[in-house]
Short mmCIF file of all heavy atoms in Angstrom, two decimals:
data_model
loop_
_atom_site.label_atom_id
_atom_site.label_comp_id
_atom_site.label_asym_id
_atom_site.label_seq_id
_atom_site.Cartn_x
_atom_site.Cartn_y
_atom_site.Cartn_z
N MET I 1 8.37 -6.47 -5.50
CA MET I 1 7.31 -6.63 -6.48
C MET I 1 6.54 -5.31 -6.60
O MET I 1 6.23 -4.67 -5.60
CB MET I 1 6.37 -7.74 -5.98
CG MET I 1 5.04 -7.79 -6.65
SD MET I 1 3.96 -9.04 -5.93
CE MET I 1 3.53 -8.29 -4.38
N TYR I 2 6.25 -4.94 -7.85
CA TYR I 2 5.47 -3.72 -8.05
C TYR I 2 4.00 -3.98 -7.74
O TYR I 2 3.43 -4.97 -8.18
CB TYR I 2 5.60 -3.21 -9.49
CG TYR I 2 6.88 -2.47 -9.73
CD1 TYR I 2 7.93 -3.05 -10.38
CD2 TYR I 2 7.03 -1.17 -9.26
CE1 TYR I 2 9.13 -2.37 -10.59
CE2 TYR I 2 8.21 -0.47 -9.45
CZ TYR I 2 9.25 -1.09 -10.12
OH TYR I 2 10.42 -0.41 -10.30
N VAL I 3 3.43 -3.09 -6.96
CA VAL I 3 2.01 -3.14 -6.66
C VAL I 3 1.27 -2.14 -7.55
O VAL I 3 0.23 -2.44 -8.10
CB VAL I 3 1.76 -2.81 -5.17
CG1 VAL I 3 0.28 -2.76 -4.87
CG2 VAL I 3 2.47 -3.84 -4.29
N CYS I 4 1.84 -0.96 -7.66
CA CYS I 4 1.24 0.11 -8.45
C CYS I 4 2.17 0.46 -9.60
O CYS I 4 3.23 1.04 -9.38
CB CYS I 4 0.99 1.33 -7.57
SG CYS I 4 0.36 2.76 -8.47
N LEU I 5 1.77 0.08 -10.80
CA LEU I 5 2.62 0.35 -11.96
C LEU I 5 2.57 1.82 -12.36
O LEU I 5 3.55 2.35 -12.88
CB LEU I 5 2.19 -0.53 -13.13
CG LEU I 5 2.42 -2.03 -12.93
CD1 LEU I 5 1.92 -2.80 -14.13
CD2 LEU I 5 3.89 -2.33 -12.67
N CYS I 6 1.47 2.46 -12.13
CA CYS I 6 1.36 3.88 -12.52
C CYS I 6 2.39 4.74 -11.80
O CYS I 6 2.97 5.65 -12.39
CB CYS I 6 -0.04 4.41 -12.20
SG CYS I 6 -1.32 3.72 -13.24
N LEU I 7 2.60 4.46 -10.52
CA LEU I 7 3.49 5.29 -9.71
C LEU I 7 4.76 4.56 -9.28
O LEU I 7 5.57 5.10 -8.53
CB LEU I 7 2.74 5.82 -8.48
CG LEU I 7 1.54 6.70 -8.79
CD1 LEU I 7 0.81 7.09 -7.52
CD2 LEU I 7 1.98 7.94 -9.55
N GLY I 8 4.92 3.32 -9.72
CA GLY I 8 6.13 2.57 -9.39
C GLY I 8 6.25 2.24 -7.92
O GLY I 8 7.36 2.22 -7.36
N ILE I 9 5.13 1.95 -7.27
CA ILE I 9 5.13 1.64 -5.84
C ILE I 9 5.25 0.13 -5.66
O ILE I 9 4.54 -0.65 -6.28
CB ILE I 9 3.83 2.15 -5.19
CG1 ILE I 9 3.74 3.67 -5.33
CG2 ILE I 9 3.74 1.73 -3.73
CD1 ILE I 9 2.37 4.24 -5.02
N THR I 10 6.16 -0.25 -4.77
CA THR I 10 6.40 -1.67 -4.52
C THR I 10 5.78 -2.10 -3.19
O THR I 10 5.40 -1.26 -2.36
CB THR I 10 7.90 -1.96 -4.47
OG1 THR I 10 8.46 -1.28 -3.33
CG2 THR I 10 8.61 -1.50 -5.73
N ASP I 11 5.72 -3.41 -2.99
CA ASP I 11 5.24 -3.92 -1.70
C ASP I 11 6.15 -3.44 -0.57
O ASP I 11 5.71 -3.17 0.54
CB ASP I 11 5.11 -5.44 -1.71
CG ASP I 11 6.41 -6.15 -2.05
OD1 ASP I 11 7.28 -5.55 -2.72
OD2 ASP I 11 6.55 -7.32 -1.66
N GLN I 12 7.45 -3.29 -0.87
CA GLN I 12 8.38 -2.80 0.14
C GLN I 12 8.07 -1.35 0.51
O GLN I 12 8.18 -0.97 1.68
CB GLN I 12 9.82 -2.93 -0.36
CG GLN I 12 10.86 -2.61 0.71
CD GLN I 12 10.71 -3.50 1.94
OE1 GLN I 12 10.48 -4.70 1.83
NE2 GLN I 12 10.77 -2.90 3.12
N ASP I 13 7.67 -0.55 -0.46
CA ASP I 13 7.27 0.84 -0.18
C ASP I 13 6.08 0.87 0.79
O ASP I 13 6.02 1.70 1.69
CB ASP I 13 6.88 1.58 -1.46
CG ASP I 13 8.07 1.79 -2.39
OD1 ASP I 13 9.19 1.97 -1.90
OD2 ASP I 13 7.85 1.77 -3.61
N ILE I 14 5.14 -0.04 0.58
CA ILE I 14 3.96 -0.10 1.45
C ILE I 14 4.37 -0.53 2.85
O ILE I 14 3.93 0.05 3.85
CB ILE I 14 2.91 -1.04 0.84
CG1 ILE I 14 2.33 -0.37 -0.41
CG2 ILE I 14 1.81 -1.36 1.86
CD1 ILE I 14 1.40 -1.24 -1.22
N ARG I 15 5.25 -1.53 2.94
CA ARG I 15 5.72 -1.97 4.26
C ARG I 15 6.46 -0.83 4.97
O ARG I 15 6.32 -0.65 6.17
CB ARG I 15 6.62 -3.19 4.12
CG ARG I 15 5.86 -4.42 3.73
CD ARG I 15 6.71 -5.68 3.78
NE ARG I 15 5.92 -6.82 3.38
CZ ARG I 15 5.88 -7.28 2.13
NH1 ARG I 15 6.62 -6.75 1.20
NH2 ARG I 15 5.10 -8.31 1.82
N GLN I 16 7.24 -0.09 4.22
CA GLN I 16 7.97 1.02 4.82
C GLN I 16 7.02 2.11 5.31
O GLN I 16 7.24 2.72 6.36
CB GLN I 16 8.97 1.60 3.81
CG GLN I 16 9.92 2.63 4.41
CD GLN I 16 10.78 2.03 5.52
OE1 GLN I 16 11.41 1.00 5.33
NE2 GLN I 16 10.77 2.67 6.70
N SER I 17 5.98 2.36 4.55
CA SER I 17 4.99 3.36 4.95
C SER I 17 4.37 2.99 6.29
O SER I 17 4.19 3.83 7.18
CB SER I 17 3.91 3.46 3.86
OG SER I 17 2.89 4.33 4.25
N ILE I 18 4.06 1.72 6.46
CA ILE I 18 3.48 1.25 7.72
C ILE I 18 4.52 1.33 8.84
O ILE I 18 4.22 1.76 9.95
CB ILE I 18 2.93 -0.18 7.55
CG1 ILE I 18 1.71 -0.13 6.61
CG2 ILE I 18 2.56 -0.80 8.89
CD1 ILE I 18 1.25 -1.48 6.13
N ALA I 19 5.76 0.96 8.54
CA ALA I 19 6.82 1.07 9.54
C ALA I 19 7.04 2.52 9.96
O ALA I 19 7.42 2.80 11.10
CB ALA I 19 8.12 0.48 8.98
N ASP I 20 6.76 3.44 9.05
CA ASP I 20 6.92 4.86 9.34
C ASP I 20 5.71 5.46 10.05
O ASP I 20 5.70 6.67 10.33
CB ASP I 20 7.17 5.64 8.04
CG ASP I 20 8.54 5.34 7.45
OD1 ASP I 20 9.39 4.82 8.19
OD2 ASP I 20 8.76 5.63 6.26
N GLY I 21 4.69 4.64 10.29
CA GLY I 21 3.58 5.13 11.10
C GLY I 21 2.20 5.06 10.49
O GLY I 21 1.21 5.31 11.19
N ALA I 22 2.08 4.76 9.20
CA ALA I 22 0.74 4.66 8.61
C ALA I 22 0.00 3.50 9.28
O ALA I 22 0.56 2.42 9.47
CB ALA I 22 0.83 4.43 7.11
N SER I 23 -1.26 3.73 9.65
CA SER I 23 -1.98 2.69 10.38
C SER I 23 -3.31 2.35 9.72
O SER I 23 -4.16 1.72 10.34
CB SER I 23 -2.23 3.15 11.82
OG SER I 23 -2.97 4.36 11.82
N SER I 24 -3.48 2.73 8.47
CA SER I 24 -4.71 2.39 7.76
C SER I 24 -4.44 2.41 6.25
O SER I 24 -3.43 2.96 5.80
CB SER I 24 -5.82 3.39 8.08
OG SER I 24 -5.49 4.66 7.53
N VAL I 25 -5.37 1.81 5.52
CA VAL I 25 -5.26 1.83 4.07
C VAL I 25 -5.28 3.28 3.59
O VAL I 25 -4.50 3.67 2.71
CB VAL I 25 -6.42 1.04 3.44
CG1 VAL I 25 -6.42 1.19 1.92
CG2 VAL I 25 -6.35 -0.42 3.84
N LYS I 26 -6.13 4.09 4.18
CA LYS I 26 -6.25 5.49 3.77
C LYS I 26 -4.92 6.23 3.96
O LYS I 26 -4.49 6.98 3.08
CB LYS I 26 -7.36 6.16 4.58
CG LYS I 26 -7.59 7.59 4.19
CD LYS I 26 -8.70 8.19 5.02
CE LYS I 26 -8.90 9.66 4.62
NZ LYS I 26 -9.67 10.39 5.60
N GLN I 27 -4.27 6.01 5.09
CA GLN I 27 -3.01 6.70 5.35
C GLN I 27 -1.92 6.26 4.38
O GLN I 27 -1.12 7.08 3.92
CB GLN I 27 -2.57 6.48 6.79
CG GLN I 27 -3.41 7.26 7.78
CD GLN I 27 -2.95 7.06 9.21
OE1 GLN I 27 -2.05 6.29 9.49
NE2 GLN I 27 -3.60 7.78 10.11
N VAL I 28 -1.88 4.98 4.07
CA VAL I 28 -0.88 4.51 3.10
C VAL I 28 -1.15 5.13 1.74
O VAL I 28 -0.23 5.59 1.06
CB VAL I 28 -0.90 2.96 3.01
CG1 VAL I 28 -0.05 2.48 1.84
CG2 VAL I 28 -0.40 2.35 4.32
N ARG I 29 -2.41 5.17 1.35
CA ARG I 29 -2.75 5.78 0.06
C ARG I 29 -2.39 7.25 0.04
O ARG I 29 -1.91 7.76 -0.97
CB ARG I 29 -4.24 5.61 -0.21
CG ARG I 29 -4.59 4.21 -0.64
CD ARG I 29 -6.05 4.13 -0.99
NE ARG I 29 -6.38 2.79 -1.45
CZ ARG I 29 -7.62 2.32 -1.48
NH1 ARG I 29 -8.62 3.06 -1.09
NH2 ARG I 29 -7.85 1.10 -1.90
N GLU I 30 -2.63 7.93 1.13
CA GLU I 30 -2.31 9.36 1.19
C GLU I 30 -0.80 9.58 1.11
O GLU I 30 -0.34 10.52 0.46
CB GLU I 30 -2.87 9.98 2.47
CG GLU I 30 -4.38 10.15 2.42
CD GLU I 30 -4.98 10.60 3.74
OE1 GLU I 30 -4.24 10.69 4.75
OE2 GLU I 30 -6.19 10.85 3.77
N GLN I 31 -0.04 8.73 1.77
CA GLN I 31 1.42 8.88 1.77
C GLN I 31 2.03 8.56 0.41
O GLN I 31 2.92 9.26 -0.06
CB GLN I 31 2.06 7.98 2.82
CG GLN I 31 1.94 8.50 4.23
CD GLN I 31 2.77 7.67 5.19
OE1 GLN I 31 3.57 6.83 4.81
NE2 GLN I 31 2.54 7.89 6.48
N LEU I 32 1.56 7.47 -0.20
CA LEU I 32 2.22 6.97 -1.41
C LEU I 32 1.49 7.34 -2.70
O LEU I 32 2.10 7.35 -3.77
CB LEU I 32 2.36 5.45 -1.34
CG LEU I 32 3.17 4.91 -0.16
CD1 LEU I 32 3.15 3.39 -0.18
CD2 LEU I 32 4.59 5.43 -0.18
N GLY I 33 0.20 7.57 -2.60
CA GLY I 33 -0.58 7.90 -3.80
C GLY I 33 -1.10 6.67 -4.52
O GLY I 33 -1.66 6.80 -5.61
N ALA I 34 -0.88 5.48 -3.96
CA ALA I 34 -1.33 4.25 -4.62
C ALA I 34 -2.83 4.31 -4.90
O ALA I 34 -3.61 4.67 -4.03
CB ALA I 34 -1.00 3.04 -3.76
N GLY I 35 -3.21 3.97 -6.11
CA GLY I 35 -4.61 3.97 -6.50
C GLY I 35 -5.13 5.30 -6.98
O GLY I 35 -6.30 5.41 -7.35
N SER I 36 -4.27 6.29 -7.02
CA SER I 36 -4.72 7.64 -7.37
C SER I 36 -4.72 7.90 -8.88
O SER I 36 -5.18 8.95 -9.31
CB SER I 36 -3.86 8.69 -6.68
OG SER I 36 -2.53 8.60 -7.14
N GLN I 37 -4.22 6.95 -9.64
CA GLN I 37 -4.20 7.14 -11.10
C GLN I 37 -5.27 6.26 -11.75
O GLN I 37 -6.41 6.66 -11.80
CB GLN I 37 -2.80 6.82 -11.65
CG GLN I 37 -1.70 7.68 -11.03
CD GLN I 37 -1.83 9.14 -11.36
OE1 GLN I 37 -1.99 9.50 -12.51
NE2 GLN I 37 -1.79 9.99 -10.35
N CYS I 38 -4.91 5.06 -12.19
CA CYS I 38 -5.90 4.21 -12.86
C CYS I 38 -6.77 3.45 -11.87
O CYS I 38 -7.86 3.01 -12.21
CB CYS I 38 -5.21 3.22 -13.80
SG CYS I 38 -4.39 1.86 -12.94
N GLY I 39 -6.27 3.27 -10.66
CA GLY I 39 -7.04 2.59 -9.62
C GLY I 39 -6.94 1.08 -9.63
O GLY I 39 -7.50 0.41 -8.75
N LYS I 40 -6.23 0.49 -10.59
CA LYS I 40 -6.17 -0.97 -10.69
C LYS I 40 -5.47 -1.63 -9.51
O LYS I 40 -5.67 -2.80 -9.23
CB LYS I 40 -5.47 -1.39 -11.99
CG LYS I 40 -6.31 -1.13 -13.22
CD LYS I 40 -5.57 -1.59 -14.47
CE LYS I 40 -6.43 -1.32 -15.69
NZ LYS I 40 -5.70 -1.57 -16.94
N CYS I 41 -4.63 -0.89 -8.82
CA CYS I 41 -3.86 -1.45 -7.70
C CYS I 41 -4.61 -1.34 -6.37
O CYS I 41 -4.10 -1.79 -5.35
CB CYS I 41 -2.52 -0.75 -7.58
SG CYS I 41 -2.70 1.01 -7.20
N ALA I 42 -5.77 -0.74 -6.37
CA ALA I 42 -6.45 -0.44 -5.11
C ALA I 42 -6.71 -1.68 -4.27
O ALA I 42 -6.44 -1.69 -3.06
CB ALA I 42 -7.74 0.31 -5.39
N MET I 43 -7.24 -2.73 -4.89
CA MET I 43 -7.57 -3.92 -4.10
C MET I 43 -6.31 -4.60 -3.56
O MET I 43 -6.28 -5.04 -2.42
CB MET I 43 -8.38 -4.91 -4.94
CG MET I 43 -9.82 -4.47 -5.12
SD MET I 43 -10.81 -5.65 -6.04
CE MET I 43 -10.70 -7.09 -5.02
N HIS I 44 -5.28 -4.69 -4.40
CA HIS I 44 -4.03 -5.31 -3.96
C HIS I 44 -3.39 -4.50 -2.83
O HIS I 44 -2.89 -5.06 -1.85
CB HIS I 44 -3.07 -5.44 -5.14
CG HIS I 44 -1.91 -6.33 -4.87
ND1 HIS I 44 -0.89 -6.50 -5.75
CD2 HIS I 44 -1.59 -7.10 -3.79
CE1 HIS I 44 0.02 -7.33 -5.23
NE2 HIS I 44 -0.39 -7.71 -4.05
N THR I 45 -3.41 -3.18 -2.98
CA THR I 45 -2.86 -2.32 -1.94
C THR I 45 -3.60 -2.53 -0.63
O THR I 45 -3.00 -2.68 0.44
CB THR I 45 -2.96 -0.84 -2.36
OG1 THR I 45 -2.19 -0.65 -3.54
CG2 THR I 45 -2.46 0.09 -1.27
N ARG I 46 -4.92 -2.54 -0.69
CA ARG I 46 -5.74 -2.72 0.51
C ARG I 46 -5.39 -4.04 1.21
O ARG I 46 -5.20 -4.09 2.41
CB ARG I 46 -7.22 -2.69 0.13
CG ARG I 46 -8.15 -2.81 1.33
CD ARG I 46 -9.62 -2.79 0.94
NE ARG I 46 -9.92 -1.71 0.03
CZ ARG I 46 -10.45 -1.84 -1.18
NH1 ARG I 46 -10.75 -3.05 -1.62
NH2 ARG I 46 -10.69 -0.81 -1.93
N GLN I 47 -5.28 -5.11 0.41
CA GLN I 47 -4.98 -6.42 1.00
C GLN I 47 -3.59 -6.45 1.62
O GLN I 47 -3.39 -6.97 2.72
CB GLN I 47 -5.10 -7.51 -0.06
CG GLN I 47 -5.07 -8.90 0.52
CD GLN I 47 -6.20 -9.13 1.53
OE1 GLN I 47 -7.36 -8.93 1.20
NE2 GLN I 47 -5.87 -9.52 2.74
N LEU I 48 -2.62 -5.85 0.94
CA LEU I 48 -1.26 -5.81 1.48
C LEU I 48 -1.21 -5.04 2.80
O LEU I 48 -0.56 -5.47 3.76
CB LEU I 48 -0.32 -5.14 0.49
CG LEU I 48 0.48 -6.03 -0.45
CD1 LEU I 48 1.25 -5.18 -1.43
CD2 LEU I 48 1.40 -6.93 0.34
N VAL I 49 -1.86 -3.90 2.84
CA VAL I 49 -1.86 -3.10 4.07
C VAL I 49 -2.52 -3.87 5.20
O VAL I 49 -1.98 -3.92 6.32
CB VAL I 49 -2.58 -1.75 3.84
CG1 VAL I 49 -2.75 -1.00 5.15
CG2 VAL I 49 -1.80 -0.90 2.84
N ARG I 50 -3.63 -4.49 4.94
CA ARG I 50 -4.32 -5.25 5.99
C ARG I 50 -3.45 -6.41 6.48
O ARG I 50 -3.37 -6.67 7.68
CB ARG I 50 -5.67 -5.76 5.48
CG ARG I 50 -6.67 -4.63 5.35
CD ARG I 50 -7.99 -5.12 4.85
NE ARG I 50 -8.94 -4.01 4.82
CZ ARG I 50 -10.10 -4.04 4.20
NH1 ARG I 50 -10.48 -5.12 3.56
NH2 ARG I 50 -10.90 -2.99 4.21
N ASP I 51 -2.81 -7.11 5.55
CA ASP I 51 -1.94 -8.22 5.95
C ASP I 51 -0.79 -7.72 6.82
O ASP I 51 -0.44 -8.34 7.82
CB ASP I 51 -1.37 -8.93 4.71
CG ASP I 51 -2.43 -9.73 3.96
OD1 ASP I 51 -3.54 -9.91 4.50
OD2 ASP I 51 -2.13 -10.15 2.82
N GLU I 52 -0.20 -6.59 6.43
CA GLU I 52 0.92 -6.04 7.20
C GLU I 52 0.47 -5.58 8.58
O GLU I 52 1.16 -5.81 9.57
CB GLU I 52 1.55 -4.87 6.45
CG GLU I 52 2.45 -5.28 5.32
CD GLU I 52 3.61 -6.14 5.80
OE1 GLU I 52 4.32 -5.74 6.74
OE2 GLU I 52 3.80 -7.22 5.23
N LEU I 53 -0.67 -4.93 8.65
CA LEU I 53 -1.15 -4.43 9.95
C LEU I 53 -1.49 -5.58 10.89
O LEU I 53 -1.31 -5.47 12.10
CB LEU I 53 -2.37 -3.52 9.75
CG LEU I 53 -2.07 -2.17 9.08
CD1 LEU I 53 -3.37 -1.43 8.80
CD2 LEU I 53 -1.15 -1.32 9.94
N GLU I 54 -1.92 -6.71 10.34
CA GLU I 54 -2.22 -7.87 11.18
C GLU I 54 -0.96 -8.44 11.80
O GLU I 54 -1.01 -9.07 12.85
CB GLU I 54 -2.93 -8.95 10.36
CG GLU I 54 -4.40 -8.64 10.13
CD GLU I 54 -5.10 -9.73 9.34
OE1 GLU I 54 -4.51 -10.82 9.18
OE2 GLU I 54 -6.21 -9.48 8.87
N LEU I 55 0.17 -8.24 11.15
CA LEU I 55 1.43 -8.78 11.66
C LEU I 55 2.00 -7.94 12.81
O LEU I 55 2.90 -8.39 13.51
CB LEU I 55 2.47 -8.84 10.53
CG LEU I 55 2.17 -9.81 9.39
CD1 LEU I 55 3.20 -9.68 8.28
CD2 LEU I 55 2.13 -11.24 9.91
N LEU I 56 1.48 -6.75 12.99
CA LEU I 56 2.01 -5.87 14.04
C LEU I 56 1.51 -6.28 15.42
O LEU I 56 0.51 -6.87 15.59
CB LEU I 56 1.63 -4.41 13.77
CG LEU I 56 2.23 -3.81 12.50
CD1 LEU I 56 1.73 -2.38 12.33
CD2 LEU I 56 3.74 -3.84 12.54
FE1 FES J 101 -1.81 2.10 -9.14
FE2 FES J 101 -2.59 2.62 -11.60
S1 FES J 101 -1.58 0.84 -10.88
S2 FES J 101 -2.94 3.79 -9.83
#
């Protein structure tokens, strides 16, 4: 599922970023750029990252 339409970032991309070592919303955003264009995906990205980090 696409999370960020501006940059074509999927939920799987976010999961992979965390698997690769990102440990915060900020780090995921820095790695992928999510929210850096229109910003509409920011809340969804934040929630996805938090949900994923809770599973670790
Ligand atoms: Fe992610 Fe626009 S949808 S920056």
